[in-house]
Amino acid sequence: MRIEKLARGVWKFTDWAGLCSNVYLIDIDAPTMIDLGSKEFSRTLVRGLKEIGYSPADIKKVIYTHLHFDHIGDPIVFKNAEFFASQTEINDLKENKIGAFFALFGTNPNALLKGVELKPIKSNSRFTIIETPGHTRGSICIWAKEKRILFTGDTLFHNNILGRTDLPNSAPREYEDSLKRLARFNYRILCPGH
Ligand SMILES: [Zn+2]
């Protein structure tokens, strides 16, 4: 695992083994995780958090850019956190668990988010939530305006590499508009999901 400090109060955790999203911690009002990687990564992630002086119990919010299995992690580790995703993603999870998770390799979607209450995410004074359907119908990007950091999940990667839109819950026809919406944010740091 690699831990990078991207800015004051902002860290990136990268796993090199297996299918796992990047994980970010941004502590500007309350300690907030953006995506949690894969379930298999969670013990390594906890160790990483301790290395920078946080315990999982310190985390107050977890924001999911979308609910694919390689971003969900092991939410029960974060006992004091509230969990957020877009309303569309929450609805899709209820109606179409396999599509919403894009579960591979025998990952059991029901077990991953068991007992977790997902709340719909809204913008606040620190974070602007940008709805960016494409990779999934309910994908969001998160703009941390003071720091000019853009968290893009699987919507947009470095060097303008685009996310896949051929998955069960993708919305390929809306993707171009989503990218136009993102282009308005003049970021200093781009934080993609992979
Ligand atoms: Zn994804």
Side-chain angles (χ1 to χ4, degrees), residues 90-97 137:
I90 295 169
N91 294 348
D92 274 355
L93 182 69
K94 282 186 197 136
E95 286 157 24
N96 171 17
K97 277 203 164 68
R137 284 192 285 260

Side-chain angles (χ1 to χ4, degrees), residues 20 36-49 56 73-75 77-78:
C20 182
L36 294 179
S38 62
K39 184 174 164 56
E40 294 70 30
F41 179 53
S42 90
R43 290 172 95 172
T44 311
L45 176 62
V46 167
R47 234 183 300 129
L49 284 168
D74 195 5
V77 169
F78 298 91

Side-chain angles (χ1 to χ4, degrees), residues 132-189:
T132 51
H135 177 70
T136 65
R137 284 192 285 260
S139 281
I140 53 165
C141 296
I142 300 141
W143 172 240
K145 51 192 109 179
E146 289 148 59
K147 306 234 172 236
R148 288 180 46 217
I149 298 178
L150 187 60
F151 298 92
T152 52
D154 288 357
T155 297
L156 177 68
F157 302 110
H158 281 300
N159 304 320
N160 285 327
I161 296 170
L162 304 180
R164 286 178 64 174
T165 56
D166 60 338
L167 304 175
N169 267 28
S170 290
R173 269 186 254 137
E174 294 168 67
Y175 196 33
E176 206 180 306
D177 282 344
S178 294
L179 294 171
K180 280 185 199 149
R181 214 165 293 141
L182 278 185
R184 290 202 287 262
F185 295 88
N186 181 21
Y187 59 81
R188 197 166 60 82
I189 305 172

Side-chain angles (χ1 to χ4, degrees), residues 28-157:
I28 51 175
D29 55 351
T32 300
M33 306 295 298
I34 297 187
D35 289 334
L36 294 179
S38 62
K39 184 174 164 56
E40 294 70 30
F41 179 53
S42 90
R43 290 172 95 172
T44 311
L45 176 62
V46 167
R47 234 183 300 129
L49 284 168
K50 285 185 178 151
E51 252 176 66
I52 59 162
Y54 287 85
S55 107
D58 297 331
I59 304 303
K60 294 289 185 294
K61 292 178 190 171
V62 174
I63 302 175
Y64 289 125
T65 59
H66 63 299
L67 297 176
H68 279 162
F69 72 96
D70 55 330
H71 294 249
I72 286 171
D74 195 5
I76 56 162
V77 169
F78 298 91
K79 294 194 176 358
N80 297 324
E82 290 183 290
F83 292 83
F84 297 92
S86 75
Q87 185 67 62
T88 305
E89 207 71 357
I90 295 169
N91 294 348
D92 274 355
L93 182 69
K94 282 186 197 136
E95 286 157 24
N96 171 17
K97 277 203 164 68
I98 300 300
F101 276 107
F102 183 47
L104 293 174
F105 317 123
T107 309
N108 178 352
N110 297 302
L112 278 173
L113 279 169
K114 200 173 180 185
V116 174
E117 190 201 342
L118 283 169
K119 298 175 183 169
I121 185 80
K122 293 189 190 91
S123 297
N124 63 25
S125 58
R126 309 264 183 175
F127 298 111
T128 301
I129 304 302
I130 313 153
E131 291 189 10
T132 51
H135 177 70
T136 65
R137 284 192 285 260
S139 281
I140 53 165
C141 296
I142 300 141
W143 172 240
K145 51 192 109 179
E146 289 148 59
K147 306 234 172 236
R148 288 180 46 217
I149 298 178
L150 187 60
F151 298 92
T152 52
D154 288 357
T155 297
L156 177 68
F157 302 110

